[in-house]
Amino acid sequence: MAQQQNQTQTQEDINQLLKVRREKLSQLQESGKDPFRITKFDVTAHSADVKEDYSQWEGKEVSMAGRMMSKRVMGKASFCNVQDLKGNIQSYVARDSIGEEAYKEFRKLDIGDIIGLTGTVFTTKTGEISIHATSVTLLSKSLQVLPEKYHGLTNTDMRYRQRYTDLIMNEDVKKTFVLRSRIISCIRRYLDDLGFLEVETPMLVSNAGGAAARPFETHYNALDEDVKLRISLELYLKRLIVGGMEKVYEIGRVFRNEGLDTRHNPEFTLMELYQAYTDYHGMMDLTENMFRHIAREVCRTTTIPYAEVEIDLGKPFERLTMIDAIKKYTGIDFDQIKTTEEAKKLADDKGVHYEARHVRGDIINLFFEEFVEEHLIQPTFIMDHPVEVSPLTKRKPDKPELVERFELFIYGREMCNAYSELNDPIDQRERFKAQEAALAAGDEEANTTDEDFLNALEIGMPPTGGIGYGIDRLVMLFTNSPAIRDVLLFPTMKSLDK
C-alpha cells in the first residue's frame, strides 16, 4: 500500500513538472522567444576537442551546443554541465558576463534543455576545464523529464524502446554504437583494399532462398504479386559472379520470421562476400585475417574481453572437421556410423531429439549442436558439414557425403558460414528437389527451386568461395555486449498495445 502511494505521489510530481515546462514554453513564445523558431547555431568545437588539447584552446573563444545535464545556481553565478556528441563539459555562467536579463532566463532553464554556449576556455580553481560563458541560447525546450541522474535509465525494456533516452543517459551505450560504425567502416576498407566491389541487391524477392529460414511475406500492389523479404544475400551475389564480377560483397538488412532472443532479431545486418577462383580454405584465410585486422584497428589489441573470458584473435584459429569435433568432445566417431538407422539408434541412446525425416547427415549436425558448440570458446573453424544440411555447397571430391563448408565459432557462437560454392547446375537442381521434398514434409525453413538462379549456373559460374557474416554478432564480440539488442539501435519490440 505504501509503495503504491509513493508511485502515485511520484507520478503527480512528474505531471506537475511537465505542466511547469509547458508553461515556461508558453511564456517564451508569448514574449517572442520561441526556441523552436531557431534554425541554426554555429558550433566551433566539441567538449572532447577542448579537453584533450587544452593547451591549444586555453583563453580562446568557442561555441558549443548540447543538452544541459545539470545546473547549480549560486546567486549571481551558476554552473551547468552540457553534454554534446563527444562527451560533456562544465560552463560557468555569471550575471555580469551574460547580462542581467539573459541570466534570469538562464535560471529558468530545465535539465534536458538543449542550449548553445559561447565563451572562453579556462580552468577553474579546482582544476576543471570549463567554458566561461558570454552568451547562452536556448535552442530547444525539453518538455519531458529525464531519468534521475544518479540511477540513469536502468529499465532494460524502456532502454530499448526509448533508445534516444538511453543514448543521453548511458555513455557506454553511445560508445558501443560509435564502435559499431567504426567496425563496419574497418571491414569495408579491408575488403576494398583486397579488390572487392560493394554492391546492392533486391530486398523484395519472389523467391527467398540462400538460407534455412522462414521469410516475411507481403503483397506488391503495383504488380499484384505476392513477394517476400529476403532472408539472405547469396543467390543474387552469385549471379554477379556469373556475370564476371570476381569479388563482390554486400552489407545489408535481411529478414527472418523467427523468434527473439539474445542472439536473434527478425531483421538484422548480414554481410556476404563471394570471390571467384578460390575455395573455402581461401575464405578461412580471409576471415581469420579480417577478424585479426578489426581487433588491431578498432580495439588496438588482438586479445579482447568477452563476458568472463579473454578471446585470443592473435594466434592461429583452430581448424576441425565436424566429425572430428564431435569425436574430440564426445568420443563418438561418426566415420564408423554408416547408416541412418545406426545414427538414429545412437541419437536415441544419447537423448538427442530428431524428426522422422532426418537422415544420418542431419543427426551428425544435431550431435554437433548438442554436444560441441558450447565448448568452442576460442576461435575455431568447424569444417566439412554433411551435404543434407548444406544445399548450396560443393561436395568434397573424396567424400561426396560431405561438403566444403565451414563455420567460425567464438564463445560457443557461430560467427560466420562459408562454402566452396556449388556451381554444378545439375547437382544444384537435385539439391533444390531435396529441399522441396523437405518443405512438403513440413520443414518450413527449406528452400524452393529458383529457376532463374539455375539458369545463371547453366550459363556458367567459376569455382567460387563465399561467406556470410552476422554483423550484429560480430559487433557483440568486439564491444563485449551480451545481447543482440545491445548492438541494434532500434531492436524489434512487441507493441505495448498488444
Side-chain angles (χ1 to χ4, degrees):
M1 185 67 178
Q3 182 179 5
Q4 185 176 359
Q5 289 176 339
N6 289 337
Q7 290 176 343
T8 301
Q9 183 61 50
T10 299
Q11 189 58 52
E12 290 176 355
D13 292 343
I14 290 175
N15 290 340
Q16 180 61 30
L17 290 172
L18 297 179
K19 180 182 177 182
V20 169
R21 289 187 180 218
R22 280 162 173 74
E23 289 173 350
K24 288 181 179 180
L25 175 63
S26 295
Q27 293 167 6
L28 288 166
Q29 291 170 331
E30 289 169 3
S31 63
K33 298 178 180 179
D34 186 350
F36 298 126
R37 297 182 68 87
I38 295 175
T39 59
K40 64 176 293 187
F41 183 85
D42 292 326
V43 174
T44 62
H46 285 90
S47 56
D49 301 332
V50 171
K51 288 183 173 183
E52 292 171 5
D53 198 9
Y54 175 70
S55 62
Q56 298 299 314
W57 291 95
E58 183 180 13
K60 294 182 179 178
E61 183 178 86
V62 296
S63 291
M64 294 184 176
R67 191 176 301 274
M68 190 166 68
M69 300 301 291
S70 66
K71 183 176 72 169
R72 288 183 291 128
V73 177
M74 301 178 296
K76 299 178 182 179
S78 301
F79 286 94
C80 68
N81 188 281
V82 176
Q83 177 176 294
D84 63 13
L85 172 68
K86 297 183 179 180
N88 61 79
I89 195 164
Q90 176 177 269
S91 179
Y92 173 69
V93 184
R95 185 189 65 181
D96 293 343
S97 298
I98 68 171
E100 187 170 350
E101 187 62 29
Y103 189 66
K104 287 180 181 179
E105 293 177 357
F106 170 79
R107 289 169 64 102
K108 294 179 182 179
L109 295 179
D110 293 306
I111 303 305
D113 287 349
I114 296 175
I115 62 175
L117 288 169
T118 298
T120 305
V121 178
F122 79 110
T123 304
T124 65
K125 293 179 180 179
T126 60
E128 183 167 357
I129 296 171
S130 306
I131 307 300
H132 188 151
T134 54
S135 70
V136 179
T137 305
L138 177 61
L139 303 175
S140 182
K141 184 67 184 170
S142 175
L143 300 179
Q144 282 286 352
V145 178
L146 291 176
E148 198 274 321
K149 176 182 176 183
Y150 294 103
H151 294 94
L153 184 62
T154 55
N155 181 297
T156 302
D157 185 77
M158 191 59 68
R159 284 183 53 227
Y160 297 144
R161 292 184 187 278
Q162 295 187 11
R163 182 66 85 186
Y164 42 89
T165 310
D166 190 25
L167 290 167
I168 293 168
M169 301 306 300
N170 296 315
E171 184 178 357
D172 287 344
V173 171
K174 184 183 289 185
K175 288 180 179 178
T176 293
F177 289 105
V178 169
L179 279 175
R180 179 187 173 104
S181 179
R182 290 176 180 169
I183 289 165
I184 293 174
S185 295
C186 179
I187 291 170
R188 282 193 164 103
R189 289 193 301 272
Y190 177 77
L191 293 176
D192 292 346
D193 288 345
L194 290 177
F196 280 84
L197 182 69
E198 184 173 11
V199 298
E200 295 176 311
T201 61
M203 289 190 182
L204 289 173
V205 296
S206 58
N207 189 329
R214 291 177 60 188
F216 287 93
E217 300 179 3
T218 187
H219 186 76
Y220 191 175
N221 291 333
L223 298 180
D224 192 24
E225 289 183 358
D226 291 332
V227 293
K228 301 176 179 67
L229 288 170
R230 66 185 181 187
I231 61 174
S232 169
L233 312 173
E234 179 168 348
L235 300 186
Y236 279 98
L237 291 177
K238 285 182 178 178
R239 286 170 167 88
L240 299 181
I241 296 293
V242 170
M245 293 183 172
E246 293 184 2
K247 292 182 177 182
V248 294
Y249 75 96
E250 180 174 6
I251 300 174
R253 286 290 213 194
V254 297
F255 309 86
R256 299 183 182 180
N257 200 347
E258 56 189 20
L260 296 160
D261 60 31
T262 57
R263 287 185 280 172
H264 295 89
N265 195 71
E267 59 172 309
F268 62 97
T269 303
L270 180 65
M271 181 177 79
E272 293 195 30
L273 64 86
Y274 293 85
Q275 179 178 345
Y277 310 114
T278 190
D279 62 3
Y280 73 143
H281 291 291
M283 293 294 98
M284 267 186 265
D285 294 340
L286 183 151
T287 297
E288 183 169 341
N289 291 334
M290 187 182 78
F291 271 70
R292 196 168 292 133
H293 177 76
I294 296 169
R296 287 171 177 154
E297 290 291 313
V298 178
C299 304
R300 304 300 180 189
T301 176
T302 56
T303 302
I304 61 173
Y306 191 80
E308 74 287 357
V309 299
E310 296 284 329
I311 304 297
D312 188 351
L313 298 171
K315 67 180 182 182
F317 295 3
E318 185 175 9
R319 302 186 181 196
L320 288 171
T321 68
M322 182 175 281
I323 288 176
D324 284 345
I326 294 171
K327 185 177 180 180
K328 177 178 179 179
Y329 290 102
T330 70
I332 297 169
D333 185 358
F334 269 94
D335 280 335
Q336 305 303 314
I337 310 296
K338 301 298 185 181
T339 67
T340 294
E341 290 71 22
E342 289 178 287
K344 285 185 174 180
K345 182 180 185 304
L346 183 61
D348 291 336
D349 293 342
K350 298 297 182 180
V352 176
H353 174 73
Y354 58 87
E355 298 178 24
R357 61 183 176 82
H358 283 157
V359 297
R360 174 179 174 273
D362 296 299
I363 293 171
I364 290 173
N365 189 59
L366 290 172
F367 265 75
F368 172 77
E369 292 175 347
E370 181 74 21
F371 300 115
V372 180
E373 283 189 8
E374 64 181 345
H375 298 289
L376 305 178
I377 302 303
Q378 295 302 320
T380 305
F381 289 118
I382 297 296
M383 309 178 293
D384 301 351
H385 297 51
V387 68
E388 290 85 357
V389 295
S390 311
L392 299 170
T393 315
K394 184 172 287 191
R395 296 175 189 263
K396 290 181 67 67
D398 57 336
K399 288 187 175 182
E401 74 278 11
L402 303 177
V403 295
E404 294 191 347
R405 173 185 174 188
F406 75 79
E407 294 171 287
L408 173 63
F409 285 86
I410 300 177
Y411 197 74
R413 298 172 179 175
E414 176 202 335
M415 303 301 296
C416 64
N417 187 21
Y419 311 151
S420 293
E421 301 297 334
L422 179 61
N423 62 343
D424 179 345
I426 298 172
D427 190 356
Q428 182 63 80
R429 183 174 291 279
E430 293 304 311
R431 308 274 192 98
F432 275 140
K433 284 182 181 179
Q435 287 287 295
E436 295 274 11
L439 184 66
D443 184 356
E444 295 180 333
E445 296 185 348
N447 286 196
T448 55
T449 302
D450 187 329
E451 289 293 346
D452 182 73
F453 176 65
L454 288 171
N455 183 65
L457 289 187
E458 288 176 355
I459 289 174
M461 186 175 84
T464 298
I467 190 164
Y469 303 87
I471 292 295
D472 307 305
R473 291 188 188 177
L474 186 149
V475 172
M476 286 170 62
L477 174 70
F478 283 103
T479 60
N480 195 6
S481 299
I484 193 170
R485 290 182 176 184
D486 295 321
V487 299
L488 296 174
L489 278 168
F490 301 103
T492 301
M493 304 290 290
K494 186 175 181 179
S495 172
L496 290 173
D497 296 332
K498 298 297 184 181

Short mmCIF file of all heavy atoms in Angstrom, two decimals, residues 51-99:
data_model
loop_
_atom_site.label_atom_id
_atom_site.label_comp_id
_atom_site.label_asym_id
_atom_site.label_seq_id
_atom_site.Cartn_x
_atom_site.Cartn_y
_atom_site.Cartn_z
N LYS A 51 38.98 19.39 -24.14
CA LYS A 51 39.59 18.70 -23.01
C LYS A 51 40.88 17.98 -23.39
O LYS A 51 41.85 17.94 -22.63
CB LYS A 51 38.60 17.71 -22.40
CG LYS A 51 37.46 18.36 -21.63
CD LYS A 51 36.56 17.30 -21.01
CE LYS A 51 35.52 17.91 -20.10
NZ LYS A 51 34.67 16.89 -19.44
N GLU A 52 40.90 17.40 -24.59
CA GLU A 52 42.06 16.61 -25.00
C GLU A 52 43.21 17.48 -25.49
O GLU A 52 44.35 17.01 -25.57
CB GLU A 52 41.64 15.61 -26.07
CG GLU A 52 40.71 14.51 -25.54
CD GLU A 52 40.11 13.65 -26.64
OE1 GLU A 52 40.51 13.85 -27.81
OE2 GLU A 52 39.26 12.80 -26.34
N ASP A 53 42.94 18.72 -25.86
CA ASP A 53 44.00 19.58 -26.38
C ASP A 53 43.87 20.97 -25.74
O ASP A 53 43.83 21.99 -26.43
CB ASP A 53 43.90 19.66 -27.91
CG ASP A 53 45.18 20.17 -28.54
OD1 ASP A 53 46.20 20.30 -27.82
OD2 ASP A 53 45.17 20.45 -29.75
N TYR A 54 43.81 20.96 -24.42
CA TYR A 54 43.51 22.19 -23.68
C TYR A 54 44.50 23.31 -23.97
O TYR A 54 44.13 24.48 -24.11
CB TYR A 54 43.46 21.91 -22.18
CG TYR A 54 43.29 23.14 -21.34
CD1 TYR A 54 42.08 23.83 -21.33
CD2 TYR A 54 44.33 23.64 -20.55
CE1 TYR A 54 41.90 24.98 -20.56
CE2 TYR A 54 44.17 24.78 -19.78
CZ TYR A 54 42.95 25.45 -19.79
OH TYR A 54 42.78 26.58 -19.05
N SER A 55 45.77 22.96 -24.08
CA SER A 55 46.79 24.00 -24.28
C SER A 55 46.54 24.81 -25.55
O SER A 55 46.92 25.98 -25.64
CB SER A 55 48.19 23.37 -24.33
OG SER A 55 48.28 22.47 -25.44
N GLN A 56 45.90 24.19 -26.54
CA GLN A 56 45.62 24.90 -27.79
C GLN A 56 44.35 25.74 -27.71
O GLN A 56 44.14 26.65 -28.52
CB GLN A 56 45.49 23.88 -28.94
CG GLN A 56 46.73 23.07 -29.21
CD GLN A 56 47.90 23.95 -29.62
OE1 GLN A 56 47.77 24.85 -30.44
NE2 GLN A 56 49.07 23.69 -29.02
N TRP A 57 43.50 25.44 -26.72
CA TRP A 57 42.22 26.15 -26.62
C TRP A 57 42.17 27.16 -25.49
O TRP A 57 41.30 28.03 -25.48
CB TRP A 57 41.09 25.12 -26.41
CG TRP A 57 40.82 24.25 -27.60
CD1 TRP A 57 41.32 23.01 -27.84
CD2 TRP A 57 39.98 24.57 -28.72
NE1 TRP A 57 40.85 22.52 -29.04
CE2 TRP A 57 40.02 23.45 -29.59
CE3 TRP A 57 39.19 25.67 -29.06
CZ2 TRP A 57 39.31 23.44 -30.79
CZ3 TRP A 57 38.48 25.65 -30.25
CH2 TRP A 57 38.55 24.54 -31.10
N GLU A 58 43.07 27.06 -24.54
CA GLU A 58 43.01 27.93 -23.36
C GLU A 58 42.95 29.40 -23.77
O GLU A 58 43.75 29.88 -24.57
CB GLU A 58 44.24 27.70 -22.47
CG GLU A 58 44.20 28.52 -21.19
CD GLU A 58 45.42 28.29 -20.31
OE1 GLU A 58 46.40 27.68 -20.80
OE2 GLU A 58 45.40 28.73 -19.14
N GLY A 59 41.96 30.10 -23.19
CA GLY A 59 41.82 31.53 -23.44
C GLY A 59 41.13 31.88 -24.74
O GLY A 59 40.86 33.07 -25.00
N LYS A 60 40.79 30.90 -25.56
CA LYS A 60 40.15 31.16 -26.84
C LYS A 60 38.63 31.07 -26.72
O LYS A 60 38.10 30.36 -25.88
CB LYS A 60 40.65 30.17 -27.89
CG LYS A 60 42.12 30.34 -28.23
CD LYS A 60 42.55 29.38 -29.33
CE LYS A 60 44.03 29.58 -29.67
NZ LYS A 60 44.47 28.62 -30.71
N GLU A 61 37.97 31.81 -27.58
CA GLU A 61 36.50 31.78 -27.60
C GLU A 61 36.02 30.58 -28.42
O GLU A 61 36.55 30.31 -29.50
CB GLU A 61 35.94 33.06 -28.19
CG GLU A 61 34.41 33.11 -28.16
CD GLU A 61 33.83 34.39 -28.71
OE1 GLU A 61 33.64 34.47 -29.94
OE2 GLU A 61 33.57 35.31 -27.90
N VAL A 62 35.03 29.86 -27.88
CA VAL A 62 34.45 28.73 -28.58
C VAL A 62 32.94 28.82 -28.50
O VAL A 62 32.37 29.50 -27.63
CB VAL A 62 34.90 27.37 -27.96
CG1 VAL A 62 36.39 27.18 -28.12
CG2 VAL A 62 34.48 27.28 -26.50
N SER A 63 32.29 28.12 -29.41
CA SER A 63 30.83 27.97 -29.37
C SER A 63 30.52 26.48 -29.36
O SER A 63 31.01 25.73 -30.21
CB SER A 63 30.18 28.63 -30.58
OG SER A 63 30.29 30.04 -30.52
N MET A 64 29.77 26.06 -28.36
CA MET A 64 29.39 24.66 -28.22
C MET A 64 27.88 24.56 -28.06
O MET A 64 27.22 25.51 -27.63
CB MET A 64 30.06 24.03 -26.99
CG MET A 64 31.55 23.94 -27.07
SD MET A 64 32.20 23.07 -25.61
CE MET A 64 33.94 23.02 -26.03
N ALA A 65 27.35 23.39 -28.38
CA ALA A 65 25.92 23.16 -28.21
C ALA A 65 25.70 21.74 -27.71
O ALA A 65 26.45 20.82 -28.05
CB ALA A 65 25.18 23.38 -29.53
N GLY A 66 24.68 21.60 -26.88
CA GLY A 66 24.35 20.27 -26.37
C GLY A 66 23.23 20.33 -25.37
O GLY A 66 22.56 21.36 -25.19
N ARG A 67 23.03 19.21 -24.69
CA ARG A 67 21.93 19.08 -23.73
C ARG A 67 22.44 19.39 -22.32
O ARG A 67 23.46 18.86 -21.89
CB ARG A 67 21.37 17.66 -23.77
CG ARG A 67 20.05 17.49 -23.00
CD ARG A 67 19.52 16.07 -23.18
NE ARG A 67 19.28 15.76 -24.57
CZ ARG A 67 18.16 16.04 -25.23
NH1 ARG A 67 17.17 16.67 -24.59
NH2 ARG A 67 18.01 15.71 -26.49
N MET A 68 21.72 20.25 -21.61
CA MET A 68 22.10 20.59 -20.25
C MET A 68 21.72 19.44 -19.32
O MET A 68 20.54 19.09 -19.19
CB MET A 68 21.42 21.88 -19.79
CG MET A 68 21.96 22.40 -18.46
SD MET A 68 21.45 24.10 -18.12
CE MET A 68 19.70 23.86 -17.87
N MET A 69 22.72 18.84 -18.67
CA MET A 69 22.50 17.65 -17.84
C MET A 69 22.48 17.97 -16.35
O MET A 69 22.03 17.16 -15.55
CB MET A 69 23.58 16.61 -18.13
CG MET A 69 23.61 16.14 -19.58
SD MET A 69 22.05 15.42 -20.13
CE MET A 69 22.04 13.90 -19.18
N SER A 70 22.99 19.13 -15.97
CA SER A 70 22.93 19.54 -14.56
C SER A 70 23.09 21.05 -14.49
O SER A 70 23.61 21.68 -15.42
CB SER A 70 24.02 18.85 -13.72
OG SER A 70 25.31 19.28 -14.13
N LYS A 71 22.63 21.62 -13.37
CA LYS A 71 22.72 23.07 -13.18
C LYS A 71 22.80 23.37 -11.68
O LYS A 71 22.04 22.78 -10.90
CB LYS A 71 21.51 23.75 -13.81
CG LYS A 71 21.55 25.29 -13.74
CD LYS A 71 20.36 25.92 -14.46
CE LYS A 71 19.08 25.72 -13.70
NZ LYS A 71 17.96 26.54 -14.23
N ARG A 72 23.73 24.23 -11.30
CA ARG A 72 23.85 24.69 -9.92
C ARG A 72 23.78 26.21 -9.90
O ARG A 72 24.67 26.88 -10.43
CB ARG A 72 25.18 24.22 -9.30
CG ARG A 72 25.25 22.73 -8.99
CD ARG A 72 26.56 22.37 -8.31
NE ARG A 72 27.70 22.50 -9.22
CZ ARG A 72 28.80 23.19 -8.97
NH1 ARG A 72 28.91 23.86 -7.82
NH2 ARG A 72 29.79 23.24 -9.83
N VAL A 73 22.72 26.73 -9.34
CA VAL A 73 22.53 28.18 -9.29
C VAL A 73 23.02 28.70 -7.94
O VAL A 73 22.61 28.21 -6.89
CB VAL A 73 21.04 28.55 -9.48
CG1 VAL A 73 20.84 30.06 -9.34
CG2 VAL A 73 20.56 28.07 -10.84
N MET A 74 23.92 29.68 -7.99
CA MET A 74 24.52 30.23 -6.75
C MET A 74 24.49 31.75 -6.82
O MET A 74 25.51 32.41 -7.01
CB MET A 74 25.95 29.73 -6.61
CG MET A 74 26.08 28.21 -6.54
SD MET A 74 27.79 27.65 -6.42
CE MET A 74 28.44 28.23 -7.98
N GLY A 75 23.28 32.32 -6.67
CA GLY A 75 23.16 33.77 -6.66
C GLY A 75 23.47 34.37 -8.01
O GLY A 75 22.78 34.12 -9.00
N LYS A 76 24.55 35.17 -8.06
CA LYS A 76 24.90 35.90 -9.27
C LYS A 76 25.71 35.06 -10.27
O LYS A 76 26.05 35.54 -11.34
CB LYS A 76 25.69 37.16 -8.91
CG LYS A 76 24.91 38.14 -8.04
CD LYS A 76 25.76 39.34 -7.68
CE LYS A 76 24.99 40.29 -6.77
NZ LYS A 76 25.81 41.48 -6.39
N ALA A 77 26.06 33.85 -9.90
CA ALA A 77 26.83 32.98 -10.79
C ALA A 77 26.34 31.54 -10.65
O ALA A 77 25.87 31.14 -9.58
CB ALA A 77 28.31 33.07 -10.47
N SER A 78 26.46 30.79 -11.73
CA SER A 78 25.98 29.41 -11.74
C SER A 78 26.92 28.53 -12.56
O SER A 78 27.77 29.03 -13.32
CB SER A 78 24.57 29.33 -12.36
OG SER A 78 23.67 30.14 -11.64
N PHE A 79 26.77 27.25 -12.37
CA PHE A 79 27.48 26.28 -13.19
C PHE A 79 26.46 25.36 -13.85
O PHE A 79 25.41 25.03 -13.26
CB PHE A 79 28.43 25.43 -12.35
CG PHE A 79 29.67 26.15 -11.90
CD1 PHE A 79 29.72 26.79 -10.67
CD2 PHE A 79 30.78 26.20 -12.73
CE1 PHE A 79 30.84 27.46 -10.25
CE2 PHE A 79 31.94 26.87 -12.31
CZ PHE A 79 31.97 27.49 -11.07
N CYS A 80 26.73 24.94 -15.05
CA CYS A 80 25.92 23.91 -15.70
C CYS A 80 26.84 22.96 -16.45
O CYS A 80 27.99 23.30 -16.75
CB CYS A 80 24.88 24.51 -16.64
SG CYS A 80 25.55 25.30 -18.12
N ASN A 81 26.35 21.77 -16.71
CA ASN A 81 27.12 20.77 -17.45
C ASN A 81 26.39 20.48 -18.74
O ASN A 81 25.19 20.16 -18.73
CB ASN A 81 27.29 19.50 -16.63
CG ASN A 81 28.26 18.52 -17.28
OD1 ASN A 81 27.90 17.83 -18.21
ND2 ASN A 81 29.49 18.49 -16.79
N VAL A 82 27.10 20.57 -19.85
CA VAL A 82 26.49 20.38 -21.17
C VAL A 82 27.08 19.13 -21.83
O VAL A 82 28.31 18.95 -21.87
CB VAL A 82 26.73 21.61 -22.07
CG1 VAL A 82 26.17 21.36 -23.47
CG2 VAL A 82 26.07 22.83 -21.45
N GLN A 83 26.19 18.27 -22.32
CA GLN A 83 26.60 17.03 -22.98
C GLN A 83 26.42 17.18 -24.49
O GLN A 83 25.33 17.51 -24.96
CB GLN A 83 25.75 15.87 -22.47
CG GLN A 83 26.03 14.53 -23.13
CD GLN A 83 25.20 13.43 -22.49
OE1 GLN A 83 25.38 13.08 -21.34
NE2 GLN A 83 24.24 12.89 -23.25
N ASP A 84 27.50 16.95 -25.22
CA ASP A 84 27.41 17.02 -26.68
C ASP A 84 27.80 15.68 -27.29
O ASP A 84 27.87 14.66 -26.58
CB ASP A 84 28.26 18.16 -27.23
CG ASP A 84 29.75 18.01 -26.96
OD1 ASP A 84 30.18 16.90 -26.55
OD2 ASP A 84 30.50 18.99 -27.15
N LEU A 85 28.07 15.66 -28.57
CA LEU A 85 28.37 14.42 -29.28
C LEU A 85 29.51 13.64 -28.66
O LEU A 85 29.48 12.41 -28.56
CB LEU A 85 28.70 14.73 -30.75
CG LEU A 85 29.22 13.56 -31.60
CD1 LEU A 85 28.11 12.54 -31.81
CD2 LEU A 85 29.76 14.07 -32.93
N LYS A 86 30.55 14.35 -28.20
CA LYS A 86 31.78 13.69 -27.80
C LYS A 86 31.98 13.57 -26.29
O LYS A 86 32.98 13.03 -25.85
CB LYS A 86 32.98 14.41 -28.42
CG LYS A 86 32.99 14.39 -29.94
CD LYS A 86 34.22 15.06 -30.51
CE LYS A 86 34.23 15.01 -32.03
NZ LYS A 86 35.45 15.66 -32.60
N GLY A 87 31.05 14.08 -25.51
CA GLY A 87 31.22 13.99 -24.06
C GLY A 87 30.47 15.10 -23.36
O GLY A 87 29.36 15.46 -23.76
N ASN A 88 31.07 15.66 -22.32
CA ASN A 88 30.41 16.75 -21.59
C ASN A 88 31.46 17.73 -21.08
O ASN A 88 32.64 17.39 -20.94
CB ASN A 88 29.57 16.20 -20.44
CG ASN A 88 30.40 15.44 -19.43
OD1 ASN A 88 31.07 16.04 -18.59
ND2 ASN A 88 30.40 14.12 -19.52
N ILE A 89 31.00 18.94 -20.80
CA ILE A 89 31.91 19.97 -20.31
C ILE A 89 31.13 20.92 -19.41
O ILE A 89 29.93 21.14 -19.58
CB ILE A 89 32.57 20.74 -21.48
CG1 ILE A 89 33.77 21.55 -20.98
CG2 ILE A 89 31.56 21.62 -22.20
CD1 ILE A 89 34.68 22.00 -22.11
N GLN A 90 31.83 21.47 -18.43
CA GLN A 90 31.21 22.41 -17.49
C GLN A 90 31.25 23.82 -18.07
O GLN A 90 32.19 24.20 -18.77
CB GLN A 90 31.96 22.37 -16.16
CG GLN A 90 31.45 23.38 -15.14
CD GLN A 90 32.18 23.26 -13.82
OE1 GLN A 90 31.76 22.54 -12.93
NE2 GLN A 90 33.30 23.97 -13.69
N SER A 91 30.21 24.59 -17.75
CA SER A 91 30.22 26.00 -18.13
C SER A 91 29.95 26.86 -16.89
O SER A 91 29.08 26.52 -16.07
CB SER A 91 29.16 26.28 -19.19
OG SER A 91 29.16 27.65 -19.53
N TYR A 92 30.69 27.94 -16.77
CA TYR A 92 30.49 28.93 -15.71
C TYR A 92 29.66 30.06 -16.30
O TYR A 92 30.06 30.70 -17.29
CB TYR A 92 31.84 29.43 -15.21
CG TYR A 92 31.78 30.57 -14.23
CD1 TYR A 92 31.29 30.40 -12.95
CD2 TYR A 92 32.21 31.85 -14.60
CE1 TYR A 92 31.23 31.45 -12.04
CE2 TYR A 92 32.17 32.92 -13.70
CZ TYR A 92 31.68 32.70 -12.43
OH TYR A 92 31.62 33.75 -11.54
N VAL A 93 28.49 30.27 -15.72
CA VAL A 93 27.57 31.28 -16.24
C VAL A 93 27.35 32.34 -15.16
O VAL A 93 26.77 32.06 -14.11
CB VAL A 93 26.22 30.64 -16.64
CG1 VAL A 93 25.31 31.70 -17.27
CG2 VAL A 93 26.43 29.47 -17.60
N ALA A 94 27.82 33.56 -15.42
CA ALA A 94 27.72 34.65 -14.43
C ALA A 94 26.85 35.78 -14.98
O ALA A 94 26.88 36.08 -16.18
CB ALA A 94 29.11 35.18 -14.09
N ARG A 95 26.09 36.41 -14.06
CA ARG A 95 25.21 37.51 -14.47
C ARG A 95 25.99 38.63 -15.14
O ARG A 95 25.56 39.20 -16.15
CB ARG A 95 24.48 38.04 -13.23
CG ARG A 95 23.44 39.12 -13.56
CD ARG A 95 22.91 39.75 -12.30
NE ARG A 95 23.98 40.50 -11.60
CZ ARG A 95 23.80 41.14 -10.46
NH1 ARG A 95 22.62 41.10 -9.84
NH2 ARG A 95 24.80 41.81 -9.89
N ASP A 96 27.17 38.94 -14.58
CA ASP A 96 27.95 40.06 -15.10
C ASP A 96 28.54 39.76 -16.48
O ASP A 96 28.95 40.68 -17.19
CB ASP A 96 29.08 40.42 -14.13
CG ASP A 96 28.54 40.97 -12.82
OD1 ASP A 96 27.35 41.37 -12.79
OD2 ASP A 96 29.30 40.98 -11.82
N SER A 97 28.60 38.48 -16.84
CA SER A 97 29.19 38.10 -18.13
C SER A 97 28.15 38.02 -19.26
O SER A 97 28.45 38.32 -20.41
CB SER A 97 29.90 36.76 -18.02
OG SER A 97 30.97 36.83 -17.10
N ILE A 98 26.94 37.59 -18.92
CA ILE A 98 25.93 37.41 -19.99
C ILE A 98 24.82 38.46 -19.92
O ILE A 98 24.00 38.54 -20.84
CB ILE A 98 25.31 36.00 -19.96
CG1 ILE A 98 24.44 35.80 -18.71
CG2 ILE A 98 26.39 34.93 -20.04
CD1 ILE A 98 23.64 34.49 -18.75
N GLY A 99 24.78 39.25 -18.86
CA GLY A 99 23.76 40.27 -18.73
C GLY A 99 22.64 39.84 -17.80
O GLY A 99 22.34 38.65 -17.67
#
